[in-house]
Amino acid sequence: MVRSALLNVMMGAARKAARSLVRDYGEIENLQVSRKGPSDFVSSADLKVEKTLRQELKKARPAYGFLMEEGGEIAGDDKSNRWIVDPIDGTTNFLHGIPNFCISIALEREGELIAGVVYQPLGDEMFHAEKGAGAFLNERRLRVSARRKLEDSVLATGIPFHGRDGHEPFLRELGVMMKNVAGIRRFGSAALDLAYVAAGRCDGYWEAGIKPWDIAAGIVLVREAGGYVTDYEGGNKLLETGEIVAGNDHLHQPLLRLIKSAHA
Ligand code: IPD
């Protein structure tokens, strides 16, 4: 498999940044943790990872801008290209010693998401995709699941954290989904949820109130694995609305209809 220079840059940055992350995970109890708000933790590990990612990506593409979970928007000289970065997606898991977290890096070009890397360092699972070139887990090509029936499908979702909006609407959505699908999982990392849809491990995923850095890379993964990802209206305003529904071509529309019915 010949990988593009762009993906090599993104994957190299993720691997480098993961070193400190894995070290810090090993001594989680010693981390200096500060609270940004209820259930929204920022750790020194998070900041270290973001710094390394920024350095590595900047070294390779000096003019590109950034949108980062901690650092926010950093304009570049090149207004067409922007990295969208989550240094640790699954921060709550990380801080609780639950090994489901990842580094997520996407590239947006002219407003379109064109490449994504989601790296789960503990399992050494490197999910990567570039527009038109397919999605992969390490060297293996990915394909979304082929399940056709909602009642056979397993979905991932995100439950709004304490102190965030959206508890009531989420409970309505959950109520409808529970009656229609085989099972629902809350893994705690939206980027990995999307990577799991791309890998066919989950048949679908939905969440509201999600940030661009949580989903940007995963969106590319699902699309390149043959799946569909939209906002709740079936449109492409995912990063603006923070609403996301992903699934294969049999399940995506039925999932959208279920969400609509939850709010009718
Ligand atoms: C969170 C995770 C979680 C999702 C939350 C996100 P963070 O990201 O992706 O699965 O349900 O909405 O905020 O805070 O760990 O980067």
Side-chain angles (χ1 to χ4, degrees):
M1 176 177 66
V2 186
R3 207 171 282 137
S4 75
L6 181 68
L7 275 179
N8 280 330
V9 165
M10 296 165 76
M11 288 162 61
R15 281 195 196 283
K16 184 157 188 193
R19 286 188 216 136
S20 73
L21 187 58
V22 171
R23 267 198 310 274
D24 285 338
Y25 183 70
E27 45 178 310
I28 205 87
E29 67 276 11
N30 302 327
L31 278 179
Q32 295 251 318
V33 178
S34 66
R35 275 190 160 208
K36 215 163 53 174
S39 306
D40 194 358
F41 298 104
V42 177
S43 68
S44 60
D46 218 354
L47 295 169
K48 263 188 265 175
V49 172
E50 189 166 292
K51 192 170 165 212
T52 307
L53 292 175
R54 195 171 162 205
Q55 275 167 355
E56 291 301 304
L57 296 170
K58 207 171 165 53
K59 197 159 71 189
R61 299 286 187 277
Y64 287 16
F66 286 89
L67 176 65
M68 311 188 92
E69 184 179 21
E70 305 306 333
E73 180 88 52
I74 302 162
D77 293 337
D78 176 345
K79 304 291 175 222
S80 310
N81 288 286
R82 176 168 85 148
W83 301 112
I84 303 181
V85 172
D86 194 348
I88 309 178
D89 186 57
T91 320
T92 306
N93 283 346
F94 181 83
L95 289 171
H96 284 255
I98 298 169
N100 195 64
F101 55 86
C102 64
I103 291 171
S104 174
I105 308 170
L107 181 65
E108 187 188 57
R109 179 165 291 160
E110 309 285 2
E112 189 188 4
L113 296 167
I114 61 150
V117 160
V118 171
Y119 184 48
Q120 203 286 67
L122 298 179
D124 193 23
E125 291 199 314
M126 179 69 80
F127 297 90
H128 52 99
E130 191 170 358
K131 197 176 170 225
F136 295 81
L137 165 52
N138 298 329
E139 303 300 317
R140 183 167 62 82
R141 180 109 194 208
L142 297 179
R143 185 80 207 148
V144 289
S145 88
R147 263 182 210 95
R148 288 170 173 265
K149 292 189 187 150
L150 279 172
E151 62 263 36
D152 295 335
S153 60
V154 168
L155 306 183
T157 189
I159 303 173
F161 292 142
H162 174 71
R164 282 207 199 157
D165 294 340
H167 289 214
E168 285 308 317
F170 173 74
L171 288 172
R172 283 200 290 277
E173 291 162 14
L174 185 64
V176 169
M177 292 297 187
M178 277 163 63
K179 293 197 186 86
N180 286 279
V181 304
I184 298 171
R185 302 287 181 269
R186 199 297 187 239
F187 294 115
S189 159
L192 282 170
D193 293 341
L194 285 161
Y196 279 21
V197 173
R201 294 175 180 172
C202 289
D203 304 296
Y205 158 73
W206 93 97
E207 186 161 355
I210 196 87
K211 300 289 184 205
W213 43 81
D214 297 320
I215 53 172
I219 290 170
V220 188
L221 288 170
V222 173
R223 288 183 175 154
E224 284 302 312
Y228 289 80
V229 195
T230 65
D231 56 35
Y232 279 11
E233 296 301 318
N236 200 24
K237 293 202 164 57
L238 295 136
L239 304 190
E240 293 92 325
T241 60
E243 293 171 346
I244 180 163
V245 186
N248 65 28
D249 54 350
H250 308 293
L251 298 174
H252 179 259
Q253 286 294 332
L255 288 174
L256 278 179
R257 283 196 290 275
L258 285 181
I259 290 176
K260 268 223 156 73
S261 75
H263 301 298

